[in-house]
Amino acid sequence: MKQVFSSIHSPVEKRLYNIGLIVYVFLLILSVVYYQERVILYDNSFYLFEMIRTESFCIQRFRVISFLPELLAFLAIKIGAPLIVVSVLFSVGYSLFYFVIYLIVGLFLRKYQLAIVLLLVNTLIVSHTFFWNISELYLGIGLLILFFAIATEKKFKTLNVWQNNTLLFLLILISSSHPLILFPFAFMLYYLFRQKALEGKMTLYISSVFLIFYIVNRVYFTDWYDSEKLNAVNNIKTLFPHYLNIETNHLLLKDAIRPYLFALILWVISLAFYLQKRKCFDLIITNLFLFGYLFLVNVSFPNGVKSFYMENMYLVVSMVLGLIFIFEIVPTFKRKAIAPAFILIISIACIGRIVYYKQEYTDRINWYKTYFEGQENKNIALPTDVAPNEILTMSWAIPFEVNILSTIEYGETYGLVFLDELNERNEEKPFFQNQFITPWSKIPYNELPQQYFKFSNEPYLVKYELK
């Protein structure tokens, strides 16, 4: 098998890479235009609120990789930039994270193929993930591509101490990014070894160091959240043998002919390619990995989870299909225009999906605006059993979403919270004053930066109905 990377790059690779440059510019523009849809959203709003509250990075569950896309917003907070500027930079930071990696891998390291794989990770099935973009698994895959672009350098053995320490630092960030990062790491390591981009000793060295870091993270830096998710694998035993009937499989098949259509097409193309080339071993190994990974994810969430969450976990499939398509299938195209046309169509479809699904996230923001237009009181507490989860989805995040949105839109910080303790509807109606109320904490106003949040002295009005 020939060396996968060479110093001479085909015009097709450069053309594909240039298409990616244009696509990333569009994604950056959309991250500015749709900044509210990306910021006023679930964990995103909580992350930004915590950054402002602590004047630091928001690192959850020891996943330190998060500081990289948060860097712009962090610097803006440090210099006291307006909240709208901080919010825009928070949104832009996540798109810029992948763009910077794309530029380093392509323009600096000249690993065009790996750069285009990153482009496919960012476009092949992405729609909801563009908005719910804080997934550390997603970030880890991006950094994984950068790591292997450096590790596959021919002169790797002569790298100086600083460069080797950089690789170790990247491995630390990657290994701690998400429990599932083990799977894309293992596949990419195996694939590049099979493609002779990595020598045997280097492959063994990288895998050993990664596993040490990964095990240390899982043993010493795993909180209740990750433990709960990992325990979900016990479903393999409890659901046996009814795996095919779980709801998540049905949702995946439904999405396969809509937002995941191009992933399905690439998979079919890979099957045809391996069969035609009689690469039975590669066919079996690749599909065992793909179906094994999908099985593990879907069995862990058998009753179905919102599309935005499942999509981020399926991005591993984009990476696998991207590697096969770019490294093995594209070089076999006799017509030079086929691959660029394919990448262009995938990219345009991604941007189209983002524009289409944007309305779903705009509707959430419009609900908040409409709701408060009909309320005299701007601080309201309600029972969780009346929360409009059909449109807002996660009641726990509502206080943070309202906090940021109202401050940007009205110059005054509103409060809206849904509390379990109000489900009993006691006659004595509690109220909270001079505190920002969330489902799990009460933060005095004087402990929050007044520069960013403009609280009123108005107590929370306890209501038992949304109207």
Side-chain angles (χ1 to χ4, degrees):
M1 189 178 292
K2 66 179 182 179
Q3 177 74 25
V4 68
F5 294 119
S6 66
S7 59
I8 301 175
H9 301 282
S10 71
V12 173
E13 288 179 18
K14 292 183 179 180
R15 194 176 304 171
L16 293 177
Y17 184 78
N18 290 335
I19 291 173
L21 292 174
I22 299 172
V23 173
Y24 278 108
V25 170
F26 269 98
L27 292 176
L28 274 177
I29 293 171
L30 288 178
S31 71
V32 175
V33 176
Y34 296 159
Y35 86 93
Q36 284 198 1
E37 285 79 2
R38 283 158 63 96
V39 171
I40 315 301
L41 184 67
Y42 317 143
D43 309 73
N44 305 34
S45 61
F46 172 71
Y47 275 43
L48 182 55
F49 173 84
E50 281 295 292
M51 288 184 67
I52 295 172
R53 184 183 72 83
T54 62
E55 296 185 357
S56 183
F57 298 103
C58 180
I59 308 298
Q60 296 294 304
R61 298 177 288 279
F62 307 104
R63 300 176 184 180
V64 292
I65 194 174
S66 296
F67 88 89
L68 292 171
E70 292 174 357
L71 187 58
L72 287 179
F74 168 76
L75 294 174
I77 292 169
K78 282 298 184 182
I79 65 174
L83 181 58
I84 187 172
V85 173
V86 173
S87 299
V88 170
L89 291 178
F90 182 82
S91 174
V92 168
Y94 281 87
S95 294
L96 194 61
F97 171 83
Y98 301 105
F99 195 9
V100 169
I101 293 176
Y102 189 76
L103 293 174
I104 294 173
V105 173
L107 295 182
F108 181 69
L109 297 174
R110 302 293 179 182
K111 301 294 177 63
Y112 293 123
Q113 291 170 305
L114 280 176
I116 301 161
V117 171
L118 177 63
L119 175 64
L120 286 172
V121 170
N122 292 147
T123 57
L124 187 61
I125 67 171
V126 165
S127 51
H128 297 286
T129 311
F130 175 80
F131 299 97
W132 191 73
N133 50 17
I134 52 87
S135 166
E136 294 89 354
L137 176 61
Y138 194 13
L139 299 174
I141 294 173
L143 217 55
L144 193 62
I145 291 173
L146 173 60
F147 173 84
F148 280 112
I150 299 172
T152 51
E153 280 289 299
K154 290 182 180 179
K155 57 183 180 180
F156 181 85
K157 292 181 180 179
T158 61
L159 292 180
N160 59 37
V161 174
W162 184 87
Q163 290 168 311
N164 275 293
N165 287 340
T166 298
L167 285 176
L168 287 174
F169 177 66
L170 290 177
L171 270 185
I172 292 172
L173 293 180
I174 293 166
S175 63
S176 64
S177 62
H178 193 282
L180 289 178
I181 198 65
L182 174 66
F183 296 96
F185 170 84
F187 186 87
M188 183 169 282
L189 183 72
Y190 160 79
Y191 189 84
L192 293 178
F193 172 72
R194 282 279 295 171
Q195 294 289 315
K196 295 189 177 180
L198 285 172
E199 296 179 356
K201 290 183 179 179
M202 184 56 60
T203 302
L204 182 61
Y205 170 75
I206 291 173
S207 59
S208 299
V209 175
F210 175 85
L211 284 175
I212 291 171
F213 288 152
Y214 184 83
I215 292 170
V216 168
N217 271 284
R218 299 287 74 79
V219 173
Y220 296 104
F221 300 101
T222 296
D223 65 3
W224 65 269
Y225 181 89
D226 279 342
S227 297
E228 185 178 87
K229 291 292 185 293
L230 291 173
N231 286 336
V233 179
N234 292 330
N235 291 337
I236 294 175
K237 182 188 298 184
T238 58
L239 292 173
F240 178 83
H242 308 290
Y243 301 130
L244 295 179
N245 294 326
I246 62 177
E247 182 181 354
T248 311
N249 284 338
H250 298 156
L251 293 175
L252 175 59
L253 290 174
K254 182 179 179 182
D255 286 338
I257 57 174
R258 293 189 298 179
Y260 303 160
L261 176 61
F262 285 100
L264 179 62
I265 291 173
L266 283 192
W267 176 67
V268 171
I269 291 174
S270 72
L271 287 181
F273 173 80
Y274 282 143
L275 289 172
Q276 181 186 11
K277 298 294 182 179
R278 297 182 180 179
K279 294 186 174 183
C280 295
F281 181 79
D282 291 333
L283 175 68
I284 293 171
I285 293 297
T286 299
N287 284 279
L288 279 177
F289 177 85
L290 285 174
F291 285 98
Y293 178 79
L294 290 175
F295 170 79
L296 178 64
V297 169
N298 287 1
V299 168
S300 297
F301 302 92
N303 298 321
V305 179
K306 289 291 183 178
S307 295
F308 77 89
Y309 190 79
M310 296 305 295
E311 182 183 299
N312 100 88
M313 289 187 287
Y314 293 152
L315 290 172
V316 174
V317 174
S318 296
M319 187 205 76
V320 172
L321 295 175
L323 284 168
I324 297 169
F325 182 70
I326 298 302
F327 282 93
E328 298 187 72
I329 298 176
V330 167
T332 65
F333 290 153
K334 295 182 180 179
R335 295 185 179 180
K336 296 180 179 180
I338 295 178
F342 212 97
I343 295 297
L344 191 60
I345 291 171
I346 289 173
S347 301
I348 292 173
C350 172
I351 293 173
R353 289 194 304 272
I354 290 170
V355 174
Y356 174 79
Y357 283 108
K358 172 259 182 184
Q359 190 59 45
E360 178 179 328
Y361 299 96
T362 301
D363 288 344
R364 302 176 71 260
I365 294 172
N366 290 338
W367 186 93
Y368 285 130
K369 293 178 179 179
T370 302
Y371 180 75
F372 277 104
E373 283 176 2
Q375 303 296 325
E376 293 184 5
N377 196 292
K378 304 308 178 185
N379 289 324
I380 298 171
L382 289 150
T384 54
D385 57 17
V386 301
N389 289 325
E390 69 282 357
I391 187 169
L392 301 183
T393 307
M394 294 183 178
S395 61
W396 71 264
I398 290 173
F400 308 103
E401 295 174 345
V402 169
N403 180 297
I404 295 171
L405 176 64
S406 61
T407 308
I408 292 174
E409 288 290 315
Y410 310 119
E412 184 179 0
T413 304
Y414 296 173
L416 179 62
V417 63
F418 292 84
L419 300 172
D420 288 336
E421 62 196 77
L422 298 180
N423 288 351
E424 297 179 2
R425 292 168 171 75
N426 298 324
E427 292 183 4
E428 183 180 348
K429 298 181 180 180
F431 69 93
F432 312 98
Q433 192 165 10
N434 297 322
Q435 294 175 310
F436 175 65
I437 309 301
T438 77
W440 56 77
S441 64
K442 299 175 178 61
I443 308 173
Y445 289 159
N446 59 15
E447 293 183 7
L448 295 170
Q450 303 301 306
Q451 176 182 354
Y452 287 106
F453 301 125
K454 312 297 181 183
F455 297 104
S456 69
N457 293 324
E458 183 180 86
Y460 277 75
L461 172 66
V462 175
K463 302 174 63 177
Y464 294 130
E465 295 182 357
L466 277 175
K467 295 180 181 180

